[in-house]
Amino acid sequence: MTEKVLKSLFEQLQIAYAYYQLIFDDNGRPIDLILLEASSTFDVFTGLDMSKHYGKSLLNDPDQNASDAFNWAAFYAEMIQETAQDEKRWKIDLKNRRVTVSIRFFDVSHLIMILQDATDEQRLVTGQVREDREIGTAFEDLELIFNSTHDAMFLAEYSNGTFRYLRNNRVHRQLTGLDEIAGKTPEEVLGKELGWEVQKSYQQCIDRGTDISFELTHDFGSGPRDWLTKLTPVFKNGKISYVVGSRTDITEIKRLRKDKEELLQRLQAMFNEHDAVMLVIHPKTGQIMDANPAACAFYGYTSNELLSMKIQEINQLPEEEVFRRRMLACSASQKYFLFPHKLHSGEIRFVDVYSCPVNYGDQTELLSIIFDATDREHYRQALSMEKERLKITLYSIGDGVITTDNDGYVTSLNQAAVEITGWKKTEAQGKSFAEIIRLRSEETGCEVDNPIQIVLKSGKVVGLANHTVLIRKDGRPVPIADSAAPIRDDSGQTFGVVMVFRDVSHDKEQQKQIIYLSYHDPLTGLYNRRFLEEQIQLMDSQSQLPLSVIMGDVNGLKITNDVFGHSAGDRLLKRVASVLKGICREGDIIARWGGDEFLIILPRTLQETAEKKIEQARQAFEENREESLQLSVSLGCATKTAPEQSLELIMRQAEEWMYHQKLLEGSSYRNSIINTLLATLYEKSMETEAHAERLKDYCQAIGKRLNMNAKELNELALLAILHDIGKVGIPQHILQKPGALTSIEWEEMKRHSEIGYRIAQSTPELSVVAELILSHHERWDGTGYPRRLKGEEIPMLCRILAVADSYDAMTNDRVYRKALPIEKAVSELKQNAGTQFDPKVVSLFLNEFLYDEEGMT
């Protein structure tokens, strides 16, 4: 670090010069300036990178007025107007120093500029007498520099191994006190001992043929001073004929150097001995350039280990983020950082890092002072987590929460409060609670006392009365329930109030819904039995006489559920309810009394009127059809005409009449249902009435050969007609699909035997064949469905039907194929006898229908 600082200081003690060419307009007036050459120290003096401007116009260059607020463009414009060939000087301020600017014209179009540090010049005699510069035309440029510089300069001639001074400039004479040196040797000027040493250095410059420099300490009469001497060989006709020398008094510089070294030693001691962890880091690469012992102790690495590492090996943030923050520190945009650092042990510690750029000449490094902040960060994280939990709890609960200060001004409100009140957080905070929360009585409309003020005065928890509404920001009232409580610190001092409230609109609506559901049937929307029982008690009074009752029972609900599903049954009940509501007047009460029962109470209604209502209902039921099914409801009525009559008895009379009607209508309705189902089956599937008739003939013929009685033959005929009745519950696209069924479609198709079974079970006249319908797809080898019956476990009537149905299906056209030849059908029956079919039945069938004189019936 010390060497870098000293080097930076030495580089500043330079003479700067620049060489220019003038540009003229057509009238010969100078209008611009072009830079031809400049010394490296010129950049140091001006702060400009002059190499970028070689060969370019300087008066029109925007960079020329951007260095330390000195407008070079304006200076150049003034300078080119100087046409005198004599030397011209200016004093200007550049980069916090006083600088002497000298210009000299070589010819009408070329000039040279010399910059010298004139900060300490006030301590010197300001006047300078120009020296004789006539040493030949070859030294014109040197003469200009020789007389313009502030360094002590001399010129010595070298001839035949002897050095003789030709001249020295005024600065040299002032600093050394040597006025007359022309024609003298170094020994004659400086004495034998010092002269000899100086002459040796001159000879060394001659021998090397290059510039050399050296330091010496000498007393020229004002006390010992330290001098830096620079020697430059000058060639003439290919030989070194002269030596140009300059001497600079560096006494103060050496003193400053010593002071800097002592300061750096102190800084180094502070760096090494301080308890704070310190690292010096290269800003671009992140290389650790230096680490103090405290850093080694903290990270657990030796000094050599740390110096071989990069900071990103310690910092646990992503490398690109670490680089970004180093750049912030390097530009002084940010000085403080919090980082997770990994120790040699693998432990992660949080550290505060204070970084600042340190400049050494043209280099910049980062000095980072590091403090362990792990305990603080853990505590902060714990507090943050606790605060976040509280915040999440506060802002996620469904109740609105508003807090105020002791003056009743809103300090916070959660999201639920925002949604209930309609006030945004930014709008509400800082406003009076009474302005945000306007409370009214839902019953009277009067303003309700402010609960916040009550709490602030009493210091107690208060709650709102029932039926209180909050007037939202948009003016809409919202029913709420709430409580307000004081906010106290550990000492019991109140510093605000918190009010917790909730929107009870949903609760009220739910309460209404619960009350509605408790008295209504959810399917039909009619009153339920509970409500009607309560109303009967109220309506059983003389003022309601005559009081008529109509009782209704839906026919065919079970078969509708079994065939078409419960959704169809639900639609049936809704249609019945709609029809019954249509015949009722205002004041009549209609209710769903049970699963398929309805009850209507008609106050002040005669028996004749009730009977007319029944006729109206029947007419409406006939007109209301869905999927070819007619509504059928058995209805009965009775009327109470005297107070002493029992209403319960009247209701039983209506029920008896209803059941009487059900007996009369039931059989015909069931027959209607069966016919409707068969028509639907023929319409939806490939089954035909002709197919059913052929099956009946086949089956009865085989039954007679087996000597079956009349009851069995009737059941066989009924089975032949109704065995596929369950297909009405199978989707039509499956029944009429021309190709093979998928596995899912086949599983759906197999359900038709169970559906048919439920249909037959629901109809007393068909219940005798219900088991037969369920089993008509069982196979002789036990692989059929749905119960996998085997052999003689299968009812005989089903075994007969299986053979007849398969033969008729094979010998008649189907959606998925044409009819097979009879020979092929016979072959299939024989081939599957003993697996799919009962062998005995197959034999009887073939003998009966295929081997008579006709060959086929």
Side-chain angles (χ1 to χ4, degrees):
M1 290 169 58
T2 301
E3 292 179 358
K4 295 179 180 178
V5 174
L6 291 175
K7 181 179 180 182
S8 174
L9 292 173
F10 285 135
E11 287 177 348
Q12 296 178 30
L13 300 177
Q14 299 292 324
I15 297 174
Y17 70 91
Y19 187 48
Y20 302 95
Q21 178 181 350
L22 290 171
I23 304 298
F24 301 91
D25 62 11
D26 294 338
N27 296 321
R29 289 192 298 265
I31 59 173
D32 205 343
L33 194 67
I34 293 178
L35 177 65
L36 300 178
E37 181 182 354
S39 66
S40 60
T41 50
F42 200 90
D43 295 354
V44 177
F45 273 78
T46 63
L48 299 173
D49 185 355
M50 298 304 290
S51 63
K52 296 180 179 179
H53 306 285
Y54 283 171
K56 295 182 180 179
S57 168
L58 296 181
L59 293 187
N60 298 318
D61 188 347
D63 289 345
Q64 298 304 313
N65 58 6
S67 174
D68 290 340
F70 184 75
N71 193 328
W72 279 102
F75 180 78
Y76 286 142
E78 176 187 349
M79 185 176 73
I80 64 175
Q81 300 306 317
E82 294 292 334
T83 57
Q85 298 301 306
D86 294 333
E87 180 181 15
K88 182 69 174 179
R89 292 190 179 193
W90 290 266
K91 297 287 187 177
I92 63 173
D93 293 321
L94 289 179
K95 296 174 68 70
N96 298 321
R97 69 170 110 188
R98 190 71 170 166
V99 175
T100 299
V101 181
S102 304
I103 64 168
R104 173 82 176 198
F105 284 82
F106 288 108
D107 53 36
V108 293
S109 60
H110 293 83
L111 61 88
I112 186 169
M113 178 189 293
I114 303 296
L115 301 183
Q116 289 181 280
D117 189 345
T119 305
D120 297 326
E121 187 176 325
Q122 298 306 318
R123 292 176 300 177
L124 301 176
V125 178
T126 57
Q128 291 188 353
V129 179
R130 285 185 171 80
E131 304 291 339
D132 186 1
R133 296 186 297 270
E134 297 301 328
I135 61 172
T137 57
F139 294 104
E140 287 186 359
D141 293 344
L142 178 59
E143 181 68 16
L144 176 62
I145 297 174
F146 190 80
N147 289 298
S148 300
T149 182
H150 283 249
D151 284 347
M153 299 192 68
F154 61 87
L155 177 64
E157 182 181 20
Y158 175 68
S159 177
N160 299 320
T162 301
F163 294 92
R164 291 187 181 276
Y165 294 111
L166 293 180
R167 65 178 302 168
N168 60 339
N169 66 2
R170 185 170 58 85
V171 177
H172 186 276
R173 292 195 295 272
Q174 289 176 340
L175 292 179
T176 63
L178 302 175
D179 292 329
E180 297 296 334
I181 65 171
K184 296 180 180 180
T185 65
E187 288 185 14
E188 293 172 343
V189 173
L190 300 174
K192 185 174 183 178
E193 184 176 351
L194 181 58
W196 174 250
E197 292 295 327
V198 169
Q199 185 166 312
K200 284 173 53 179
S201 64
Y202 293 176
Q203 188 62 49
Q204 186 179 8
C205 177
I206 296 295
D207 294 341
R208 290 185 180 180
T210 60
D211 294 357
I212 67 169
S213 61
F214 59 91
E215 292 182 16
L216 61 84
T217 301
H218 184 67
D219 185 354
F220 286 104
S222 60
R225 305 291 288 178
D226 294 312
W227 301 88
L228 174 64
T229 301
K230 297 181 180 179
L231 302 177
T232 301
V234 178
F235 290 82
K236 184 177 182 180
N237 299 324
K239 293 172 56 180
I240 298 177
S241 299
Y242 304 94
V243 173
V244 178
S246 67
R247 288 196 179 100
T248 303
D249 187 349
I250 61 171
T251 306
E252 292 301 317
I253 295 176
K254 294 189 70 172
R255 183 184 62 79
L256 290 174
R257 180 195 300 173
K258 182 179 179 182
D259 292 344
K260 291 291 184 180
E261 288 177 351
E262 292 177 353
L263 176 60
L264 289 174
Q265 288 175 359
R266 288 196 296 272
L267 292 175
Q268 190 69 45
M270 292 171 59
F271 181 79
N272 290 332
E273 298 175 14
H274 206 289
D275 290 338
V277 176
M278 296 185 187
L279 296 176
V280 177
I281 300 168
H282 192 282
K284 290 188 177 180
T285 65
Q287 183 68 46
I288 298 175
M289 309 300 293
D290 205 350
N292 70 348
C296 299
F298 177 71
Y299 289 108
Y301 293 99
T302 66
S303 177
N304 289 337
E305 289 174 332
L306 280 176
L307 296 182
S308 67
M309 298 172 66
K310 295 182 178 180
I311 193 62
Q312 47 264 41
E313 298 177 51
I314 294 175
N315 200 316
Q316 295 304 289
L317 293 183
E319 184 173 346
E320 59 273 14
E321 177 62 16
V322 177
F323 177 78
R324 186 185 72 83
R325 297 193 186 186
R326 287 204 307 272
M327 292 301 100
L328 289 175
C330 188
S331 63
S333 301
Q334 184 175 340
K335 296 181 179 180
Y336 164 76
F337 303 90
L338 176 66
F339 288 123
H341 278 192
K342 185 177 182 180
L343 309 186
H344 184 269
S345 63
E347 180 184 2
I348 305 297
R349 305 291 290 180
F350 289 98
V351 293
D352 289 332
V353 179
Y354 296 86
S355 287
C356 65
V358 177
N359 298 315
Y360 298 101
D362 59 350
Q363 296 187 18
T364 300
E365 294 177 349
L366 290 177
L367 173 63
S368 295
I369 303 176
I370 300 166
F371 300 94
D372 189 353
T374 305
D375 293 340
R376 185 199 67 202
E377 288 304 308
H378 286 170
Y379 181 64
R380 178 186 293 174
Q381 288 177 2
L383 286 178
S384 178
M385 291 177 63
E386 183 66 23
K387 181 179 179 181
E388 189 64 22
R389 280 195 295 268
L390 292 174
K391 180 179 177 182
I392 291 173
T393 301
L394 177 63
Y395 284 90
S396 63
I397 60 177
D399 290 352
V401 179
I402 293 181
T403 61
T404 73
D405 58 20
N406 280 334
D407 295 321
Y409 290 98
V410 175
T411 56
S412 71
L413 64 168
N414 69 352
Q415 186 60 33
V418 170
E419 293 172 357
I420 295 172
T421 65
W423 287 86
K424 297 179 181 178
K425 296 177 187 177
T426 53
E427 296 173 333
Q429 287 176 336
K431 284 187 168 59
S432 169
F433 175 85
E435 184 180 353
I436 303 302
I437 305 297
R438 295 179 293 158
L439 303 176
R440 300 284 187 273
S441 170
E442 190 175 25
E443 297 175 335
T444 66
C446 297
E447 186 175 346
V448 175
D449 291 338
N450 186 323
I452 299 296
Q453 295 301 329
I454 297 174
V455 172
L456 289 173
K457 290 179 181 179
S458 66
K460 297 179 180 179
V461 177
V462 299
L464 288 177
N466 293 331
H467 309 294
T468 299
V469 295
L470 177 148
I471 307 302
R472 284 171 46 90
K473 182 184 178 184
D474 57 13
R476 179 166 58 87
V478 178
I480 64 169
D482 91 329
S483 64
I487 304 174
R488 295 189 176 98
D489 56 22
D490 294 339
S491 63
Q493 183 70 29
T494 299
F495 59 91
V497 179
V498 58
M499 175 176 164
V500 181
F501 59 100
R502 61 189 180 91
D503 182 352
V504 296
S505 304
H506 183 65
D507 295 346
K508 287 194 169 187
E509 189 60 36
Q510 278 190 324
Q511 187 176 7
K512 290 180 182 179
Q513 187 68 16
I514 290 171
I515 293 174
Y516 177 86
L517 292 176
S518 65
Y519 289 110
H520 288 78
D521 172 46
L523 177 64
T524 63
L526 301 177
Y527 288 116
N528 58 17
R529 184 165 187 153
R530 174 187 174 186
F531 176 81
L532 199 55
E533 286 176 343
E534 292 180 4
Q535 290 299 308
I536 288 173
Q537 301 298 323
L538 298 175
M539 299 183 71
D540 191 8
S541 64
Q542 187 171 353
S543 63
Q544 301 295 329
L545 298 180
L547 184 64
S548 295
V549 178
I550 297 177
M551 184 77 77
D553 186 279
V554 180
N555 297 316
L557 179 61
K558 185 175 187 306
I559 193 172
T560 300
N561 286 333
D562 289 340
V563 176
F564 300 107
H566 286 277
S567 60
D570 291 344
R571 291 197 303 272
L572 179 64
L573 291 172
K574 290 179 181 179
R575 290 164 57 204
V576 171
S578 177
V579 170
L580 294 179
K581 283 193 291 185
I583 68 169
C584 289
R585 308 160 303 183
E586 185 177 356
D588 297 342
I589 300 177
I590 176 174
R592 185 178 177 189
W593 191 247
D596 54 2
E597 293 181 336
F598 294 85
L599 182 63
I600 304 174
I601 303 297
L602 305 170
R604 296 181 294 278
T605 302
L606 296 172
Q607 176 77 17
E608 294 81 2
T609 304
E611 291 175 357
K612 289 180 181 179
K613 294 285 184 185
I614 290 177
E615 287 303 318
Q616 292 176 10
R618 286 175 177 163
Q619 181 65 31
F621 289 144
E622 287 197 16
E623 295 172 357
N624 194 318
R625 289 177 173 271
E626 182 182 286
E627 297 178 357
S628 303
L629 290 178
Q630 177 182 333
L631 287 180
S632 176
V633 181
S634 298
L635 298 168
C637 67
T639 304
K640 177 179 178 177
T641 57
E644 63 273 10
Q645 289 178 305
S646 169
L647 183 57
E648 184 178 350
L649 178 62
I650 297 300
M651 294 176 64
R652 281 204 301 269
Q653 290 174 357
E655 187 176 24
E656 289 173 1
W657 187 3
M658 177 197 70
Y659 280 125
H660 177 69
Q661 293 298 319
K662 198 172 187 70
L663 290 174
L664 296 176
E665 298 170 355
S667 177
S668 62
Y669 178 72
R670 285 191 296 272
N671 289 336
S672 173
I673 287 289
I674 295 304
N675 290 333
T676 299
L677 292 176
L678 286 174
T680 302
L681 174 64
Y682 297 150
E683 181 181 348
K684 290 178 63 176
S685 70
M686 54 190 164
E687 309 296 343
T688 63
E689 188 174 358
H691 168 68
E693 289 298 325
R694 289 195 300 271
L695 286 187
K696 183 174 74 172
D697 293 341
Y698 288 152
C699 291
Q700 286 196 321
I702 296 175
K704 290 175 182 178
R705 291 287 298 270
L706 293 173
N707 298 318
M708 290 183 175
N709 56 36
K711 175 178 177 298
E712 292 174 323
L713 290 175
N714 286 337
E715 292 177 359
L716 192 55
L718 194 59
L719 175 63
I721 294 172
L722 298 176
H723 69 284
D724 275 338
I725 193 68
K727 288 184 178 179
V728 297
I730 303 302
Q732 188 170 352
H733 73 277
I734 294 178
L735 295 174
Q736 295 186 357
K737 185 175 182 179
L741 299 180
T742 65
S743 59
I744 296 176
E745 292 171 338
W746 179 241
E747 290 300 320
E748 182 69 17
M749 176 68 83
K750 287 162 65 175
R751 290 180 55 246
H752 81 274
S753 59
E754 299 177 38
I755 296 172
Y757 169 77
R758 291 199 299 272
I759 294 173
Q761 283 284 71
S762 301
T763 310
E765 295 86 349
L766 305 181
S767 60
V768 292
V769 295
E771 283 287 338
L772 300 176
I773 291 174
L774 181 65
S775 304
H776 79 278
H777 273 294
E778 301 288 355
R779 292 170 57 101
W780 183 258
D781 59 4
T783 61
Y785 63 87
R787 294 181 292 175
R788 304 179 72 84
L789 301 181
K790 184 176 181 180
E792 295 187 0
E793 293 176 351
I794 306 170
M796 175 56 78
L797 300 188
C798 294
R799 285 182 265 159
I800 293 172
L801 176 69
V803 175
D805 189 27
S806 294
Y807 176 78
D808 191 71
M810 288 188 289
T811 56
N812 288 276
D813 290 340
R814 293 289 170 141
V815 174
Y816 52 86
R817 61 158 175 78
K818 292 291 186 179
L820 299 177
I822 293 177
E823 295 79 6
K824 179 64 173 176
V826 170
S827 174
E828 287 291 326
L829 290 177
K830 289 180 179 180
Q831 184 176 348
N832 289 282
T835 54
Q836 182 176 353
F837 309 118
D838 181 350
K840 179 180 177 182
V841 175
V842 172
S843 178
L844 287 173
F845 182 83
L846 294 178
N847 290 333
E848 179 68 21
F849 292 101
L850 299 177
Y851 298 130
D852 56 8
E853 294 179 357
E854 297 291 331
M856 185 185 77
T857 300

